[in-house]
Amino acid sequence: MKPATAADWVSGARLRTLPLAIAPVLLGTGAAIVASGPGVYHPVRALLALAAALFLQVGVNYANDYSDGIRGTDAFRVGPARLTGGGVANPRTVLRVALVFFGLATVAGLTLVILTQYWWLLLVGVLALAAAWFYTGGKKPYGYLGLGEVFVFVFFGLVATAGTTYVQVGEFTTESVLGGVAIGLISCAVLMVNNLRDIVPDKAAGKRTLAVRIGSTASRVVFCVFLLLPFVIAGAFSLVYPLAIFTFFVLLLALPACLITITATSAKELILALKLTSLAALAYGLLLGIAFAF
């Protein structure tokens, strides 16, 4: 086996998913600025929250690569080749890299806990790491049972957004919780379109994602619901925060993603929808976060 190249490892990190880690931190930081008052910022805590989120996301991606690969799930894969399943890298090496990123996320999280003295957040961190591993790892991974969207909504939406606000100001706010709901729904949309692309190979591999359980047509409808509901929340916020109206510009990404997903007949089209949805998450978090902050 030839050693995996740097490009292989970058591909394995799945950079298109990183907006899902960045968006809740941007939104949560905007909500924290509202709660703190004008001119009050916590840049170090915000950056540590961002580091923890990014490291955890990359760790999840490598852990999924490892777990799916050793299970043989990726033998049925139609998308880009994976490090483990594609025989590009030694499975143990992929696992070690995943653990390194989980370790880096832990260091960032521990630093936040020490700075804030909110020791109960250690439990949240343990739960987040467990959720990251058992998505596709362990004997009964919840991602294979159709529960992926539930955990993505909780951890990449509510926990990431409201948690970012909490570590900066010591409270949960309406902005951080409802913002977390919105980002969580968009994150669920990303997972749904990804699993929609993989319905046939996942079914063959015995991976019962929500998309496999409800079928192609219903998955397309649910994707659009996940992606468009956050704009109802943005509309409600615009009544209090005038700049939130600019969040509707994100529909320039979301609506094409919905149209592509509804009409797609190939994996290539669904990958494009996935990319648009990830960018929509980033743009939504940025614009609504700015609306809160200013």
Side-chain angles (χ1 to χ4, degrees), residues 73 76 144-145 200-209 212:
T73 304
F76 302 90
Y144 282 60
L145 302 175
V200 173
D202 282 347
K203 189 179 293 185
K207 188 176 183 180
R208 303 283 293 172
T209 62
V212 169

Side-chain angles (χ1 to χ4, degrees), residues 83-175:
L83 291 164
T84 306
V88 178
N90 186 294
R92 289 181 178 273
T93 303
V94 177
L95 176 59
R96 290 191 191 102
V97 172
L99 293 176
V100 166
F101 278 97
F102 285 151
L104 291 171
T106 300
V107 169
L110 282 174
T111 305
L112 263 176
V113 170
I114 293 170
L115 282 176
T116 62
Q117 299 290 293
Y118 300 142
W119 299 104
W120 67 273
L121 289 176
L122 290 172
L123 176 60
V124 177
V126 170
L127 291 175
L129 288 170
W133 174 255
F134 289 108
Y135 174 56
T136 56
K139 293 183 178 180
K140 292 185 178 180
Y142 64 84
Y144 282 60
L145 302 175
L147 298 174
E149 283 77 5
V150 174
F151 283 81
V152 162
F153 177 79
V154 171
F155 286 98
F156 285 94
L158 291 173
V159 172
T161 308
T164 295
T165 301
Y166 190 86
V167 297
Q168 294 182 60
V169 299
E171 63 179 300
F172 299 112
T173 66
T174 300
E175 291 83 359

Side-chain angles (χ1 to χ4, degrees), residues 3-290:
T5 65
D8 292 328
W9 287 106
V10 170
S11 176
R14 299 183 224 175
L15 299 185
R16 70 169 68 99
T17 65
L18 296 189
L20 304 183
I22 300 170
V25 176
L26 293 175
L27 189 48
T29 298
I33 292 172
V34 171
S36 297
V40 180
Y41 305 100
H42 300 279
V44 173
R45 296 184 186 188
L47 288 172
L48 284 169
L50 179 61
L54 285 170
F55 288 141
L56 188 61
Q57 178 67 67
V58 175
V60 168
N61 291 340
Y62 283 127
N64 291 348
D65 187 302
Y66 167 77
S67 296
D68 280 342
I70 63 171
R71 285 179 191 279
T73 304
D74 286 339
F76 302 90
R77 184 174 173 79
V78 296
R82 297 278 180 84
L83 291 164
T84 306
V88 178
N90 186 294
R92 289 181 178 273
T93 303
V94 177
L95 176 59
R96 290 191 191 102
V97 172
L99 293 176
V100 166
F101 278 97
F102 285 151
L104 291 171
T106 300
V107 169
L110 282 174
T111 305
L112 263 176
V113 170
I114 293 170
L115 282 176
T116 62
Q117 299 290 293
Y118 300 142
W119 299 104
W120 67 273
L121 289 176
L122 290 172
L123 176 60
V124 177
V126 170
L127 291 175
L129 288 170
W133 174 255
F134 289 108
Y135 174 56
T136 56
K139 293 183 178 180
K140 292 185 178 180
Y142 64 84
Y144 282 60
L145 302 175
L147 298 174
E149 283 77 5
V150 174
F151 283 81
V152 162
F153 177 79
V154 171
F155 286 98
F156 285 94
L158 291 173
V159 172
T161 308
T164 295
T165 301
Y166 190 86
V167 297
Q168 294 182 60
V169 299
E171 63 179 300
F172 299 112
T173 66
T174 300
E175 291 83 359
S176 66
V177 173
L178 288 181
V181 169
I183 290 297
L185 287 170
I186 300 176
S187 296
C188 286
V190 170
L191 181 59
M192 177 60 77
V193 73
N194 180 74
N195 290 341
L196 175 61
R197 179 199 66 192
D198 293 335
I199 279 183
V200 173
D202 282 347
K203 189 179 293 185
K207 188 176 183 180
R208 303 283 293 172
T209 62
L210 181 59
V212 169
R213 289 179 178 275
I214 66 177
S216 176
T217 300
S219 295
R220 295 168 197 260
V221 173
V222 170
F223 166 82
C224 293
V225 172
F226 281 155
L227 186 51
L228 297 180
L229 269 181
F231 294 95
V232 176
I233 295 174
F237 275 130
S238 69
L239 300 176
V240 181
Y241 300 99
L243 290 180
I245 198 70
F246 289 103
T247 307
F248 282 90
F249 279 111
V250 183
L251 286 170
L252 294 173
L253 295 168
L255 290 177
C258 287
L259 181 61
I260 291 169
T261 300
I262 290 293
T263 61
T265 58
S266 68
K268 185 176 181 180
E269 292 170 291
L270 293 172
I271 290 173
L272 175 58
L274 187 155
K275 292 178 180 178
L276 289 173
T277 307
S278 292
L279 290 175
L282 181 60
Y284 187 99
L286 175 62
L287 291 175
L288 191 54
I290 288 173

